[in-house]
Amino acid sequence: MKKTRCSRQAAGAGAVLLAAALAAALGLRLLTCFDNKYTAKAEIAQDGVTVIPEDGVRYLVDGWELYPDALLSPADLAAGEVPPRYAVWAGEYPNLAPFHADGNLYGAATYRLRLRGEGTAALYLQEPLCAARVFVDGRDLGGPGVVTAGAYRPLIRDTVYAFPVHGEAELIIQTANYSHYYGGLWFPPAVGGADAVAHAVASRMIFYGLLCFAALALGLFCASLWLGGGGRRDRTSFCFGLLCLSFALRVCYPFLRLWGVPLVRPLYALEDAAALCGLCCAVRIALALFLPEGWRRLRAGARVLSLGMCGVTVAVPLLVLPLFPGFAIWYGPLISWYKVLCGVFLTGAALCGCVYGRPHAGPALAATAVNGVCLLSGVLAVGSFEPAVGGWPEEYGALGMVLAFAWLMARRSRSMVLENLRLREHLQEEVEEKTRRLDLLRAERAQLMAELGHDMKSPLTALSNMAQIIRLNDIMLDEDTREKMRGIEDNCSILADRVRAIGELAGETAVSARMEPINLNQFLAAFHRSNQPVVELTGPDFLLELTPLPCRVLADRERLSRALENLVFNAADFTPPEGRVILSLDRDGEDAVICVSDTGCGIPEAELPKVFRRFYTTRSDAGGQGLGLAITRAIVLEHGGEIGAASTAGRGSSFTIRLPLLWETEL
C-alpha cells in the first residue's frame, strides 16, 4: 500500500515537473520572439549600411567592424592605415581572449558601423565594458570612463547620445576593459528617435523597479515578522526574507548603471554575490522543507557548498582577478554552471519532497523546475538572446522561486494561524475544566485535612485526660514522674492546638472566594464600628483614618474581614493599653492601600522576612500558632493584591495591603 502511494506521488511529481519545464520553455520561446534585441535588430541595406528606423527603436546587432587591440579615431580610419578588421555582430565575442595567443581577455578595441537616416537620432549605449568613447561623423560625443591604457578608468554607465544625421553617418565606439571577465560591446546599442529611445529606457526602468521594490517589500515584511518573533524565530522565514532581499539587490543594477556608480569591481561582485546568496537561501529552504532529516551528509554538503560559493563571488572579483587576470576566463563559466547545478539540486529536492508527501511541495517543484530551465537557457542562449525591455531568463527563474516560496510561506503562516485559532477556541474550555478539577482537588484535600484533624482529636483528648488523671490522683508518682506527666499534658495541648489550626486552614481553602464589588470606605467604617469596642475593652485605642476619595475593589467580604481581624488583633496584642492601633485607607495610583499600624514593641529587623511563614510566631507564650499572618497573606494574594510589613523595634509595626481598584468600566 505504501509503495503504491509513493508510486502515485512520484508519477504526479513527474507530471508537474514535465508541465513546468514545458511551460518555462514556451515562455522563453515567447520572450525570444517578442522581447529580444536580436529579433528586433535594425535593418541593413544592400550596401551594408544600417538604417535608422523612422518609428520605434531598433538594435544595432549586425554590420559591425571590430579592430581588436586598437583605439582608432575617425581620423585614423579616414587615413586608411588601420590594422586588420573583423566583421562581427554585437555580443559575438564576450572579450578579447580569442584574438590573443595567451588567452588574455583584457585590452582595448574599436567598433565601427555605418548608419543612414534623416533628422535627429538617439543612441542608447547600454553598459559598455568597461569604458567607452563615442564618435559620430568625427564628432566626439564623450563616453563613460577613460579608454586610454595609461590613464584607464572604468565606469559602467548607460548613456544616451543625440546626434543629427542627414544621409549616411559613421558611428565609432572605442572600448577598453581591464577589470571584468566580459568586455567590449557586449550589449547591442539601441537606435531610433529621441522619444522612442526615452520610452524604451523608461519601460526598462519601470519593469526592474517593480521587480526590485516588490521583492524588497516582501523581504522587509518577512524580516519584521522574524525580528518580532522574540525567542521563537523561524529560520525558514529568515531565509525567505534574505532570498527576497538578495533578489532585490540583484535586480537593482539597471539603476546603478543609469546613475554611473564608479565602483566597477564591487558592483559586479555585489551582483554575483546577490544571485548566489539567493540560491543559497533557496537551498536552505529546500533542505528545511523537503529533504529528510536522515540525509545528513547531503544536507551538510549543500550548506557548505552554497555558502562557499557566496564567498567565492566576493573574493574572486575583489582579490583574485586583480592579481591573477588569467583566472577571469574560467570564472564566468564557473558561476554560470554552478547556477545550473543549483537549479538541478533545487528541482531534485522539491521532487523528493513530493515523493515523501511534504506539504506544498508541488508548487515549489514547479517553480524550481522553471528556475532550472531558465538557468540552463541563460547559459546556452548567450549571444542569441538579450531582453529589450524585460529581464534575463535567470531573473525570471529567480522571480518564480520568490513568488512560489512567498506562496509557500503564506500557506505555512495560514496553517499556523488556523492552528492557533483552533487551540484558542478550546483554550477557555480547557481552562474551565482544569479549574474545576483543581477546585475539586482542593476541596477533597481540605476535607481530608478536616477529617484527619477530627480523627486526631479523640486520641489526643484521651491521652491528655489519662495523663491528667494519673497526675491528679497521685498514683505512686515521684516528683520526676509527675513532671514528665505535666510535659505530656503540655505537648498534648500543643498538638490539640496544631490540629485545630489545621482544621482552620482547611476551612479557609475549602471554598472558593465569592468576589463582589465593594466600597472600601464604607466597608472599613463598618469594620471599625464592629471591632472598636472589643479592641479597646482592655487594649489600646483603635482609630480609623479614611481618604475622602472613593475606593472600590473586587473582594470577598468575609475573607477580607478575616484578614483585617488577624492584623488588627495581632497589633492589639503587641501594643500596650496606652498605645494606639490605626486602620487607614488611601489611594495610590491604581491601588487602594489599607494600612494597620500600631505603637507597640515592634518586630526585630531580622524577623521581618519570616512573619508571613506558616507556623512562625514571635509570641513568647504558647498561644500563638503562626497561622494568622500566613492566612492573611493567602487571602490578599487571592484578591490579586500585595501585603508587606515594616517595623522599628520599640516604636511599632505597620502592615500594608495593596488591592487593585475597580474602575467604572469594569463594573
Side-chain angles (χ1 to χ4, degrees):
M1 189 71 177
K2 185 176 180 180
K3 185 179 294 186
T4 303
R5 182 182 177 186
C6 289
S7 299
R8 290 178 181 175
Q9 290 174 342
V16 171
L17 179 63
L18 181 61
L22 291 176
L26 177 61
L28 291 174
R29 179 61 183 170
L30 293 175
L31 286 176
T32 302
C33 295
F34 298 104
D35 189 29
N36 186 7
K37 290 182 179 180
Y38 292 99
T39 58
K41 55 187 178 182
E43 179 185 356
I44 298 181
Q46 292 183 352
D47 57 356
V49 179
T50 300
V51 179
I52 299 175
E54 295 182 1
D55 298 318
V57 174
R58 289 294 181 267
Y59 297 91
L60 305 179
V61 178
D62 298 323
W64 289 97
E65 297 176 0
L66 170 63
Y67 300 88
D69 296 318
L71 292 176
L72 302 176
S73 66
D76 295 330
L77 292 171
E81 298 179 0
V82 295
R85 65 183 181 182
Y86 299 87
V88 300
W89 41 271
E92 182 176 359
Y93 295 103
N95 48 56
L96 296 179
F99 303 100
H100 298 154
D102 59 355
N104 182 14
L105 48 79
Y106 292 145
T110 301
Y111 293 83
R112 179 174 178 266
L113 185 71
R114 291 187 298 162
L115 300 173
R116 179 179 296 153
E118 291 293 334
T120 301
L123 176 73
Y124 175 40
L125 187 59
Q126 180 183 341
E127 197 175 336
L129 300 167
C130 286
R133 198 166 191 84
V134 180
F135 300 87
V136 175
D137 272 347
R139 187 159 60 95
D140 187 354
L141 302 182
V146 178
V147 298
T148 307
Y152 169 74
R153 181 174 60 84
L155 178 62
I156 307 301
R157 185 174 64 190
D158 295 352
T159 50
V160 178
Y161 307 93
F163 56 90
V165 57
H166 301 284
E168 290 191 9
E170 181 184 55
L171 172 63
I172 298 174
I173 301 177
Q174 298 176 348
T175 65
N177 172 42
Y178 301 95
S179 307
H180 197 251
Y181 49 88
Y182 291 136
L185 203 61
W186 178 243
F187 304 103
V191 67
D195 292 341
V197 170
H199 182 270
V201 174
S203 299
R204 183 168 183 262
M205 293 300 110
I206 291 173
F207 174 81
Y208 276 97
L210 291 175
L211 293 186
C212 181
F213 291 111
L216 188 62
L218 272 176
L220 292 177
F221 176 71
C222 195
S224 65
L225 290 180
W226 182 78
L227 291 174
R232 301 182 62 182
R233 292 177 176 175
D234 183 13
R235 292 185 179 180
T236 306
S237 300
F238 172 77
C239 289
F240 173 67
L242 193 57
L243 169 64
C244 296
L245 294 177
S246 300
F247 182 74
L249 284 175
R250 175 183 182 175
V251 297
C252 73
Y253 66 88
F255 305 102
L256 302 179
R257 304 291 185 265
L258 194 63
W259 294 332
V261 179
L263 305 174
V264 174
R265 293 187 189 274
L267 285 180
Y268 280 116
L270 174 65
E271 188 177 334
D272 290 340
L276 267 62
C277 182
L279 288 174
C280 177
C281 294
V283 167
R284 296 296 294 268
I285 296 174
L287 291 176
L289 299 183
F290 303 135
L291 289 188
E293 291 290 339
W295 297 8
R296 296 181 180 178
R297 292 186 178 180
L298 179 60
R299 296 167 70 91
R303 290 193 190 98
V304 171
L305 180 60
S306 57
L307 287 174
M309 288 302 296
C310 291
V312 167
T313 56
V314 175
V316 171
L318 299 181
L319 302 177
V320 177
L321 293 185
L323 300 177
F324 305 99
F327 185 72
I329 198 171
W330 305 103
Y331 178 64
L334 172 67
I335 297 298
S336 298
W337 287 106
Y338 170 73
K339 293 177 181 178
V340 175
L341 176 64
C342 284
V344 172
F345 175 82
L346 290 171
T347 304
L351 183 62
C352 181
C354 289
V355 173
Y356 280 90
R358 298 299 175 87
H360 318 309
L365 174 61
T368 53
V370 169
N371 182 58
V373 172
C374 291
L375 288 171
L376 183 61
S377 174
V379 174
L380 300 180
V382 172
S384 62
F385 173 78
E386 182 184 337
V389 175
W392 294 87
E394 63 181 83
E395 293 171 348
Y396 285 113
L399 175 63
M401 277 205 311
V402 168
L403 295 178
F405 283 127
W407 181 86
L408 191 150
M409 298 303 297
R411 291 297 300 269
R412 289 180 75 239
S413 299
R414 183 174 181 272
S415 300
M416 294 172 65
V417 170
L418 291 177
E419 180 66 16
N420 288 336
L421 289 176
R422 187 188 67 81
L423 293 175
R424 195 179 303 168
E425 287 176 358
H426 300 286
L427 180 60
Q428 184 63 30
E429 299 176 3
E430 294 180 3
V431 168
E432 292 176 356
E433 177 63 20
K434 290 189 178 296
T435 302
R436 187 186 66 80
R437 292 183 180 180
L438 286 174
D439 289 341
L440 181 60
L441 180 61
R442 185 173 59 177
E444 291 177 353
R445 185 180 64 178
Q447 182 66 25
L448 178 62
M449 293 174 65
E451 292 175 356
L452 179 62
H454 181 271
D455 292 341
M456 291 177 65
K457 284 181 181 179
S458 296
L460 281 173
T461 302
L463 181 60
S464 177
N465 290 339
M466 286 188 289
Q468 189 174 7
I469 291 171
I470 293 172
R471 182 175 60 81
L472 293 176
N473 290 337
D474 201 13
I475 303 174
M476 298 180 64
L477 298 178
D478 56 20
E479 187 61 31
D480 184 58
T481 305
R482 188 176 292 106
E483 187 65 29
K484 287 182 172 57
M485 295 306 294
R486 289 195 189 94
I488 292 175
E489 291 180 40
D490 293 340
N491 283 287
C492 287
S493 177
I494 292 173
L495 284 175
D497 290 338
R498 294 291 172 88
V499 169
R500 186 166 52 254
I502 290 174
E504 187 179 15
L505 184 60
E508 285 295 330
T509 58
V511 182
S512 298
R514 294 182 293 273
M515 297 294 191
E516 60 178 323
I518 65 172
N519 188 317
L520 276 181
N521 309 67
Q522 299 174 1
F523 175 80
L524 293 182
F527 176 85
H528 178 260
R529 285 195 304 270
S530 174
N531 290 279
Q532 184 180 22
V534 180
V535 174
E536 294 183 348
L537 182 60
T538 57
D541 294 336
F542 185 27
L543 307 179
L544 177 66
E545 296 177 358
L546 297 177
T547 176
L549 300 175
C551 296
R552 297 179 63 83
V553 298
L554 198 63
D556 184 312
R557 292 179 178 272
E558 294 183 5
R559 297 198 176 192
L560 188 55
S561 295
R562 176 66 185 280
L564 293 174
E565 286 174 0
N566 288 338
L567 295 178
V568 169
F569 287 105
N570 271 356
D573 288 344
F574 288 95
T575 304
E578 65 275 11
R580 290 180 302 169
V581 175
I582 303 173
L583 174 63
S584 63
L585 173 66
D586 201 355
R587 285 179 55 162
D588 183 15
E590 298 182 356
D591 294 331
V593 181
I594 303 172
C595 182
V596 177
S597 59
D598 61 65
T599 58
C601 61
I603 304 172
E605 185 177 354
E607 304 297 322
L608 273 177
K610 306 175 186 178
V611 295
F612 294 108
R613 295 180 184 175
R614 289 182 180 178
F615 306 114
Y616 177 81
T617 180
T618 59
R619 297 179 187 269
S620 58
D621 56 4
Q625 302 301 318
L627 284 175
L629 291 180
I631 292 174
T632 300
R633 180 176 180 273
I635 293 173
V636 172
L637 293 178
E638 191 176 26
H639 284 70
E642 299 176 353
I643 185 170
S647 180
T648 302
R651 300 182 62 181
S653 305
S654 62
F655 288 82
T656 303
I657 297 175
R658 302 180 72 93
L659 297 177
L661 288 169
L662 188 63
W663 303 102
E664 293 299 327
T665 56
E666 302 178 68
L667 296 178

